[in-house]
Amino acid sequence: MKLLVIGANGTIGSHVVNEMKDEYEIIHASRSASDIQVDITSLQSIKDMYNKVGKIDAVVSATGATHFANLTEMTPELNDIGLRSKLAGQINLVLLGLDYINDLGSITLTTGILMDDPIVGGASSAMANGGIKAFVKSAALEMPRGIRINSVSPNLLEDSQEKYKDFFMGFVPVPGKRVGMAYRKSIQGAQTGQSYEVY
Amino acid sequence: MKLLVIGANGTIGSHVVNEMKDEYEIIHASRSASDIQVDITSLQSIKDMYNKVGKIDAVVSATGATHFANLTEMTPELNDIGLRSKLAGQINLVLLGLDYINDLGSITLTTGILMDDPIVGGASSAMANGGIKAFVKSAALEMPRGIRINSVSPNLLEDSQEKYKDFFMGFVPVPGKRVGMAYRKSIQGAQTGQSYEVY
C-alpha cells in the first residue's frame, strides 16, 4: 500500500511518517529534500508530482503556509499567502489528485486549532483552517470510487512548544504520537467528511 | 447612523435594507444599479467604494459568488471564483474598511448553511463559508476601537425556494424577515465573533 505524504519533513508530517512507515510504502514529498519536490501553490507542480508518483492508496497533506500578523497590519496581499497555500493548495491536492487515488483510498488534509480557539495574529490561519474543514465535510458527499476524505486539526505540538509558546499561552500541547494517530484513523478508518481534532 | 450594505439589491441584502431602513441612513452598494458600484474581487474597487462612502457606523456584506459544480468537475480555476469573491472579497471588505468604520461600529459578513449541511455541488461554497466563519471568530479578538465583527449563515430563503429547491431537497426554507433580524442582531447587539445561524 502506497502513502504519499506531502510535507513529510515537517513537524506534523514526520509524525505521520513515523506512525505509518511500518505498514505503508511512503513517498515523501515536500518543498525541498524529499523523494519528490512539490510547491502546492503551483498547479503545474502538483500535476508533476502526481505524474511522477502514479497510483497511490492514500494521500496526506501536512503542509500549507499562512501569514501571522496583527489584524490591523494584515493586508489582502499577506492574507493571500494562506489563501493560495494552506487553503487552495490543499484543495488543489484533492481536485488534481483524485484520478491517482485507488478505489477505497483516502485523502487527509490538515487544519489546526486556531479556527476553534483563536489567538492574536491568527485570523488568516483560522480562515484557511475553517475553509478546509468545511470543504472536506462537503466534498465527502461526492468522492468517487469509495475514496474517503477527512481533515486533522492539531493543537500546538509538544515538539513546537518551545518555538511557539509565546503565541499559544495556556494551550496544552499535544504529543506528536497522538497527532500521528489521528492521521492513522483517517487513513485506515471507515469515516469520511470528518474533522479529527487533537486538542 | 450610516449603514453600508454591499449586495443591497440581492435577496439577502434586500431583507437587510428592509429591516434597517427606518433607523439607518443606508448606502446601497452592489455590482450594478446602486448608489455605489463595487466589485469585491477588485482591491481598487473596494478602496474606491470606501473613499466615496467615507465614515460609516456599520457595514453589511451580503454578497460574494461561488461556483457550484460536482466535485469531479470542479477545477482549481472554478474553485478560485469562490476564493476570490465570497471568501477573499468579504475579508478584504474588512481589511480595507476598518479605517472607515466609526468607533463601536460593526461589520457583518455572510456565510451560509452549506458549510454545516452540505449538498452535492456545494464544496466550494462550503469552503468560502467555513473560511469566513473562522476568520470572523479570530478577527474579533483584534478589532480596533470597539468595532465588532460577526457573520450570518442563512438557510435557503423562502424567496429563493422556487429557484433552488431542486438543490436543497428537504431543507426547510426560512423567511427573509428572520434573516434580516440576524443582521440586526449583529449590527445592534453587543456580541462579536459570532456566527448567527438562521436555520
Side-chain angles (χ1 to χ4, degrees), chain A residues 19-39:
Chain A
E19 180 68 27
M20 307 308 296
K21 67 180 189 300
D22 294 339
E23 297 151 67
Y24 285 76
E25 177 188 338
I26 295 183
I27 303 156
H28 301 67
S30 60
R31 273 179 299 182
S32 59
S34 273
D35 303 345
I36 309 271
Q37 290 203 4
V38 64
D39 170 5

Side-chain angles (χ1 to χ4, degrees), chain A residues 102-122:
Chain A
N102 289 328
D103 294 3
L104 308 178
S106 70
I107 183 158
T108 310
L109 306 183
T110 297
T111 61
I113 193 171
L114 296 185
M115 64 182 169
D116 294 315
D117 206 3
I119 63 172
V120 167

Side-chain angles (χ1 to χ4, degrees), chain A residues 53-182:
Chain A
V53 168
K55 289 282 184 177
I56 46 199
D57 298 291
V59 176
V60 165
S61 165
T63 188
T66 61
H67 186 80
F68 283 76
N70 288 345
L71 187 71
T72 51
E73 287 155 19
M74 181 68 75
T75 61
E77 293 77 9
L78 291 171
N79 187 49
D80 236 39
I81 295 169
L83 272 175
R84 298 261 62 100
S85 180
K86 191 166 189 178
L87 183 52
Q90 290 200 95
I91 288 175
N92 292 340
L93 288 173
V94 179
L95 299 180
L96 299 173
L98 280 179
D99 288 346
Y100 295 86
I101 302 176
N102 289 328
D103 294 3
L104 308 178
S106 70
I107 183 158
T108 310
L109 306 183
T110 297
T111 61
I113 193 171
L114 296 185
M115 64 182 169
D116 294 315
D117 206 3
I119 63 172
V120 167
S124 192
S125 189
M127 169 200 74
N129 295 340
I132 291 291
K133 176 182 172 179
F135 174 85
V136 162
K137 180 169 181 150
S138 185
L141 304 181
E142 302 182 61
M143 297 290 278
R145 299 179 287 107
I147 299 170
R148 294 174 302 99
I149 184 169
N150 297 295
S151 57
V152 172
S153 180
N155 196 336
L156 177 66
L157 271 75
E158 287 178 351
D159 301 355
S160 307
Q161 187 177 15
E162 196 50 39
K163 190 170 173 191
Y164 294 121
K165 65 182 180 201
D166 291 345
F167 300 98
F168 288 83
M169 267 101 58
F171 285 65
V172 180
V174 294
K177 172 72 180 170
R178 274 191 61 208
V179 174
M181 288 178 72

